[in-house]
Amino acid sequence: MMKFRFRRQGADPQREKLKQELFAFHKTVEHGFPNQPSALAFDPELRIMAIGTRSGAVRIYGAPGVEFTGLHHNAATVAQMHFLPGQGRLLTLLDDNSLHLWEIVPHNGCAHLEEMLSFQLPSRPVFDGASTLPSLSRVTVVLLVADGNRAALGTEGGSVFFLNMDTLTLLEGQTLAPDEVLRSLPDDYRCGKALGPVESLQGHLQDPSKILIGYSRGLLVIWSQTAHCVERVFLGNQQLESLCWERSGSTVVSSHSDGSYAIWPADSGSSLVLQPTAATMPYGPFPCKAINKILWRNCESGGHFIIFSGGMPRASYGDRHCVSVLQAETLVTLDFTSRVIDFFTVHSTLLEDEFDDPQALAVLLEEELVVLDLQTPGWPAVPAPYLAPLHSSAITCSAHVANVPAKLWARLVSSGEQQSPQPTSSTSSWPITGGQNLAQEPSQRGLLLTGHEDGTVRFWDASGVALRPLYKLSTAALFQTDCEHADSLAQAAEDDWPPFRKVGCFDPYSDDPRLGVQKVALCKYTARMVVAGTAGQVLVLELSDVPAEQAVSVASMDLLQDREGFTWKGHDQLSPSTGPLPWPAGFQPQVLVQCLPPAAITAVTLHTEWGLVAFGTSHGFGVFDYQRKSPVLARCTLHPNDSLAMEGPLSRVKSLKKSLRQSFRRIRKSRVSGKKRAVNASSKLQEANAQLAEQAYPHDVEVTPVQRRIEPRSADDSLSGVVRCLYFADTFLRDAVHHGPTLWAGTNSGSVFAYALEVPAAATGSEKRPEQAVEAVLGKEVQLMHRAPVVAVTVLDGRGRPLPEPYEASRDLAQAPDMQGGHAVLIASEEQFKVFTLPKVSAKTKFKLTAHEGCRVRKVALATFASVACEDYAETCLACLTNLGDVHVFSVPGLRPQVHYSCIRKEDISGIASCVFTRHGQGFYLISPSEFERFSLSARNITEPLCSLDIRWPRDTTCDRHSGAVRGHALAHLHGLSHQCRHHAGHYRGRYNGGCERFLGTRRGQTAGPYHHLSLPKLFRGTPEESAECGAR
């Protein structure tokens, strides 16, 4: 039956203006290592590096904080990339045989990346009598000619075409066909098999008119562009893989498919060279894999470098991913854990320099980037200030800590430096230093904590654009695993030939899946943290500046409380190591609490002021006093039918019969309830229609939106006892006069348990409480009507603000909570938000998200949103992420909807599950196993790349040049615009379509919020009044 009510007043314009000053949605930067890299390029003059991916993305990196991002409109794999040195321009070749020219363009003092031109090469033979060009097959290799305005394209058919870089069009009359090369060959060589595709093109550093061409058959020729003839021929018969021209041009090095490389004299008097001066199979004599790429770099000190990838013995080490570095008698085989994509050396490219003198070797792998210092003995790895592999072990959980105190920050940095000593000399610093970071220093330090499958917790500096690794905590040493045996085998293998050297930190294999970290919590004021794992282990750790050797106290807690009828069928608990153990500087474990059964920890919280830690599993929750090392509370939350909770996440024993039975029961129950509703509705249908027919619709009323009917969840659902959230609060639970410590626990079945805690008060001036037992008494128990899982519980003070963290109020680091007025508790379930008054626990207000929006809550957090118009004004709101990937913001405690945005694709389940909000209106979520996408809901608190690049080549700034940017699907990387303008423009990866005059979404299909249909011409070429208004904002 339809409901009517009087029409409400329109939206308050003052409030709408305030919303624009508080909220704005931006996807700002991608942290981590690009997913599935496919190409690499380096500009030695500007000192910038580019990485292309299989999804068509282009990333350019310079100094920390200098980043540029682009995306090809057809999202094909980037096969090759080449910088035009010193020009800030990049040529990309995609696997669909198209070429694209990108340019770093300055705008309003900053720079952004735009695609200026594109050219689709025909993939099939072209039968056009008017064209003088032969048919162009697939491009295999690209060479930028040293004069800077042409490029040579080698093809599968053996032809070499030349491209005008200013217009990205083919130059007629300059094509080198295979027939012209064949005329310069001896008859016996010409009569053999075809030359094959062009495998390599190399330019002469001293003479740009000469090009070294290598064909798949093994033939090498030096082609003179000025004389348009073959100057020298090298008759090779082994299949060619790669070429390198020595700096002076007197030597040519070729690598081949049989794992050998050959050295050819390029300055001999004869134009026909039959044999190389040297041919070597480094890892022979048995059959070896191909050497895919080879570099020759000479040194002033003597002893040139030969660097190549591949070439390993096929039978013994054919599965290894290696790059070998050879200098004089020194050979090192760099052994990586993922496939080698490409590599380059950082060396001198000045014409007046006689030697290369390489400083560093950069190797792009499928899962990480490794840089080695070639000027320091031993060739050590250089720590990367960014592009660190987040997924060196698979990420299992994450957390963010805002406003980290300077003292804790310095101690973490110091502990991290002791783990991996920083380079002492300037020569061994990070070699990719191009560009200038224009972003202001962050006002506060932010930590991103990631828990991993191998039992490690990594600390990242998330204050700026570059996600910098600070410190790594490992918990595996506390338990008895097979790590030591594996390490000894690896050490023994290193003594054999080839001389392998393990390089890189990507290690996807875990010694024991039970080590996986499920939850982390950090107290930034006392430098204590909790790490909880897959096998029910809960570690309480404390930061120490010096190494120590100490034993760890071990305690166990039975969460089943001797309940009969339950037998754990999952994995066993981890066996802790006995006796004193050595611990390096950093977080050192103090107490290990083992939950029984050893199920994965699902929730954890820490209160350092009371010395308590609470943890929950699928069986119940417990409270432990880590100061006295004694248990306080254990509560079982299992339902009698929760047998699935006894199998554990690592068990393969699943009751298929029972799950099918439960499914059929649900179907039968829904059919019966549907029939009952139909009978009841049909009996009243005619009466309702008659009443509606007699009365006309009033003109001054509107129809209330019909809410979706939410079926109550059955109490018999499996895993109903899973503890979803835990929360400590100092509030009113027993009466409205006396407040004290409490613990709140929410479960998967919609139950909320509130316990009153008797914590002995600490003496005045002391932070350590007396050695008296802590007691817990059940105060309240709330059962939500629809039994929806409880996602979060938060207590609000008398002013409707969340309570401060431990020690914030006592140390005057935050405003003390209002303990005079009535407190309230905000309970967020998957279906609705509800505020209850305390201590009566009576409903005050609610918002039914599932009924109104048809979605379920996945993540919630309270965040502070500061105004861009007034520095002193801020609001605390509730941010939530739904299963559809939308982000909603609600006022607190009124629970009024403020804004909502499309953030993550609803199909991206892992991205939604990995999302974490910050206290200042930002968030992170995984867009791939190795990348975090950072987004902001705040109009004021935005972390994004703001950088410039010093480019001195003559730049054409005419209107025609910039109009080409729009025709070439320009990337809207709008760093120079104000925050409001960028908000209207949408996500910076949106592409402009001149016909539709709107943005076509983002890289992964998301829209840019409620403004994604705004016209781009208005935004950029608006009237003077609009431009002035935009500038004023």
Side-chain angles (χ1 to χ4, degrees), residues 108-131:
N108 288 358
C110 299
H112 63 277
L113 185 64
E114 287 186 1
E115 183 182 347
M116 309 303 291
L117 299 169
S118 63
F119 177 54
Q120 180 66 52
L121 300 163
S123 56
R124 295 185 177 88
V126 179
F127 302 98
D128 186 359
S131 175

Side-chain angles (χ1 to χ4, degrees), residues 244-261:
C244 181
W245 209 338
E246 187 262 340
R247 185 182 185 92
S248 64
S250 60
T251 303
V252 171
V253 184
S254 63
S255 66
H256 303 277
S257 61
D258 64 345
S260 66
Y261 68 85

Side-chain angles (χ1 to χ4, degrees), residues 527-849:
R528 278 192 175 92
M529 73 176 302
V530 176
V531 178
T534 304
Q537 69 272 27
V538 180
L539 275 135
V540 181
L541 306 100
E542 186 174 5
L543 184 61
S544 175
D545 298 327
V546 295
E549 185 172 345
Q550 61 187 18
V552 179
S553 301
V554 180
S556 61
M557 292 188 65
D558 184 8
L559 299 182
L560 289 181
Q561 294 295 288
D562 300 326
R563 183 173 295 194
E564 298 180 356
F566 291 97
T567 303
W568 174 248
K569 303 175 184 178
H571 51 267
D572 295 330
Q573 68 184 61
L574 287 164
S575 300
S577 301
T578 57
L581 299 173
W583 300 102
F587 279 97
Q588 299 172 355
Q590 306 294 317
V591 182
L592 168 63
V593 183
Q594 178 63 56
C595 295
L596 297 176
I601 302 297
T602 57
V604 73
T605 185
L606 174 68
H607 202 292
T608 53
E609 201 165 357
W610 302 336
L612 301 177
V613 58
F615 42 85
T617 69
S618 55
H619 307 127
F621 59 91
V623 180
F624 189 83
D625 182 352
Y626 63 82
Q627 182 174 318
R628 297 183 67 249
K629 297 180 174 57
S630 62
V632 176
L633 168 68
R635 170 68 185 257
C636 181
T637 56
L638 280 178
H639 188 272
N641 293 333
D642 272 352
S643 61
L644 188 60
M646 303 305 296
E647 296 180 359
L650 303 179
S651 173
R652 297 184 179 181
V653 185
K654 299 295 182 183
S655 178
L656 178 62
K657 186 176 180 181
K658 180 177 180 180
S659 62
L660 289 173
R661 186 186 305 120
Q662 291 177 344
S663 300
F664 282 118
R665 284 178 179 174
R666 291 194 194 97
I667 295 173
R668 192 181 303 116
K669 187 181 298 183
S670 63
R671 287 176 177 174
V672 171
S673 60
K675 290 179 180 179
K676 291 180 179 179
R677 289 197 301 270
V679 172
N680 294 334
S682 59
S683 61
K684 299 181 180 179
L685 182 60
Q686 296 180 355
E687 180 182 354
N689 287 337
Q691 293 179 358
L692 290 174
E694 293 176 359
Q695 55 185 353
Y697 284 104
H699 297 286
D700 56 344
V701 299
E702 65 174 3
V703 179
T704 304
V706 178
Q707 296 183 5
R708 294 170 175 82
R709 181 181 178 88
I710 307 301
E711 291 289 342
R713 305 190 185 197
S714 172
D716 297 337
D717 287 348
S718 59
L719 298 178
S720 62
V722 176
V723 178
R724 296 288 295 270
C725 62
L726 292 163
Y727 176 69
F728 283 118
D730 184 359
T731 186
F732 301 91
L733 187 61
R734 294 175 174 172
D735 54 57
V737 178
H738 303 93
H739 62 87
T742 60
L743 170 70
W744 300 75
T747 71
N748 225 27
S749 60
S751 300
V752 179
F753 304 95
Y755 278 82
L757 305 176
E758 294 291 342
V759 181
T764 306
S766 173
E767 294 183 353
K768 191 172 183 180
R769 58 179 175 79
E771 291 293 330
Q772 298 177 8
V774 178
E775 297 181 359
V777 178
L778 180 62
K780 305 287 182 182
E781 185 173 344
V782 180
Q783 178 62 59
L784 300 182
M785 182 183 301
H786 291 107
R787 299 183 178 273
V790 178
V791 180
V793 177
T794 303
V795 173
L796 308 175
D797 68 2
R799 293 186 293 265
R801 298 177 182 175
L803 301 181
E805 296 182 14
Y807 286 112
E808 274 191 335
S810 60
R811 296 184 180 181
D812 296 329
L813 300 171
Q815 185 178 2
D818 181 7
M819 309 303 287
Q820 303 299 324
H823 282 198
V825 59
L826 169 61
I827 299 178
S829 71
E830 284 191 358
E831 296 178 358
Q832 66 179 1
F833 309 116
K834 204 164 187 177
V835 176
F836 297 88
T837 61
L838 290 177
K840 293 184 178 180
V841 194
S842 58
K844 184 178 180 181
T845 182
K846 64 181 176 181
F847 183 85
K848 298 180 179 180
L849 185 69

